Amino acid sequence: MRILVIEDDALVADAMVRGLVQSGFAVDRVDRAELAEAAMQQETFDLLLVDLGLPGMDGFEFVRRVRRANGTVPVLIVTARDGLADRVNALDIGGDDYLVKPFAVPELAARCRALIRRSKAAGNPQLAVGSLYMDLPRREVRVGGESLELTPREWAVLECLALHVGQVVRKERLQQAVSSWSDDITANAVEVYVSRLRGKLGDAVSIRTVRGLGYRLDEP
């Protein structure tokens, strides 16, 4: 997985690059948006990390130009600007996520993994975790090659967890995944669906409880 960091602060950029390399990413770095555009004409990246306060072309204009070029590469805005207007504008023009400096490198790496995973799922909507296989458009689940029958809400919980492998998914998020505004689904109901999934999935994957937060899907 290859990341392009567009950041003009050398100290911040070096820290980001070191942390991401240690997390298993291949990382390139430029300090101007114009250089990033030139690099993208020659290379393919799985994710862009963009600072907003760049010299020359700023981060806002760079993201606009990426999206106008029909670029589907995910963009994570990494900036010291924490104002609501900046966050809304950055997301509206095409940013996929927004992280305010200072930040912890493990969180940065986790957000990178999540954005890349979602973009890959959109292009290749099959997920494989351990011996679990999910075909998202067909809503098919197989474990060890054997078809598995799930209820719609069991599927929704498993899909949400599988799209965030290795990350904690809060109970509230799972409630949203299985219910609409008119439904009255509680956190206890989510626990029931998770329990049923554990029984059906067996040792194929592990759904771990993170006390006080939610659940995490891990390979066995």
Side-chain angles (χ1 to χ4, degrees):
M1 294 179 288
R2 190 173 181 189
I3 296 175
L4 179 61
V5 174
I6 305 113
E7 168 64 66
D8 65 314
D9 186 316
L11 291 177
V12 173
D14 288 345
M16 291 169 62
V17 171
R18 285 197 304 272
L20 292 171
V21 168
Q22 290 172 0
S23 298
F25 296 100
V27 185
D28 296 296
R29 179 240 168 172
V30 295
D31 59 3
R32 298 178 67 93
E34 292 86 352
L35 295 176
E37 286 191 322
M40 293 174 66
Q41 291 175 3
Q42 303 295 326
E43 307 286 348
T44 299
F45 298 96
D46 297 297
L47 176 68
L48 306 178
L49 267 59
V50 183
D51 181 31
L52 293 179
L54 296 169
M57 184 196 312
D58 68 12
F60 288 115
E61 179 59 22
F62 172 69
V63 174
R64 289 191 191 95
R65 291 174 64 150
V66 169
R67 293 302 179 231
R68 281 201 298 266
N70 295 319
T72 59
V73 59
V75 175
L76 172 56
I77 306 294
V78 182
T79 179
R81 301 183 187 182
D82 61 356
L84 176 61
D86 285 326
R87 296 199 303 272
V88 170
N89 189 23
L91 295 173
D92 280 347
I93 64 175
D96 297 286
D97 198 358
Y98 195 101
L99 184 61
V100 176
K101 303 172 186 175
F103 51 81
V105 171
E107 180 182 5
L108 172 66
R111 288 175 182 260
C112 290
R113 287 192 294 269
L115 288 173
I116 292 172
R117 186 164 54 245
R118 291 169 196 164
S119 69
K120 299 301 183 185
N124 181 21
Q126 284 79 38
L127 299 177
V129 184
S131 60
L132 168 69
Y133 171 85
M134 298 181 70
D135 187 314
L136 302 185
R138 295 174 181 269
R139 300 180 71 86
E140 294 178 352
V141 183
R142 294 201 295 273
V143 172
E146 297 294 326
S147 180
L148 189 66
E149 293 295 327
L150 299 180
T151 68
R153 284 180 173 165
E154 290 169 352
W155 166 275
V157 169
L158 182 58
E159 179 184 37
C160 191
L161 291 170
L163 285 170
H164 299 83
V165 174
Q167 298 181 67
V168 176
V169 180
R170 300 187 68 90
K171 281 187 179 180
E172 295 84 356
R173 175 66 184 87
L174 294 175
Q175 285 177 252
Q176 294 169 5
V178 300
S179 63
S180 64
W181 291 344
S182 60
D183 294 325
D184 186 19
I185 301 298
T186 65
N188 289 337
V190 171
E191 294 175 5
V192 171
Y193 298 135
V194 169
S195 177
R196 291 176 183 172
L197 284 171
R198 285 170 171 157
K200 292 183 177 183
L201 295 170
D203 297 329
V205 291
S206 173
I207 302 178
R208 300 184 184 277
T209 300
V210 181
R211 190 174 300 277
L213 292 176
Y215 300 94
R216 188 182 73 229
L217 183 70
D218 293 329
E219 293 193 29

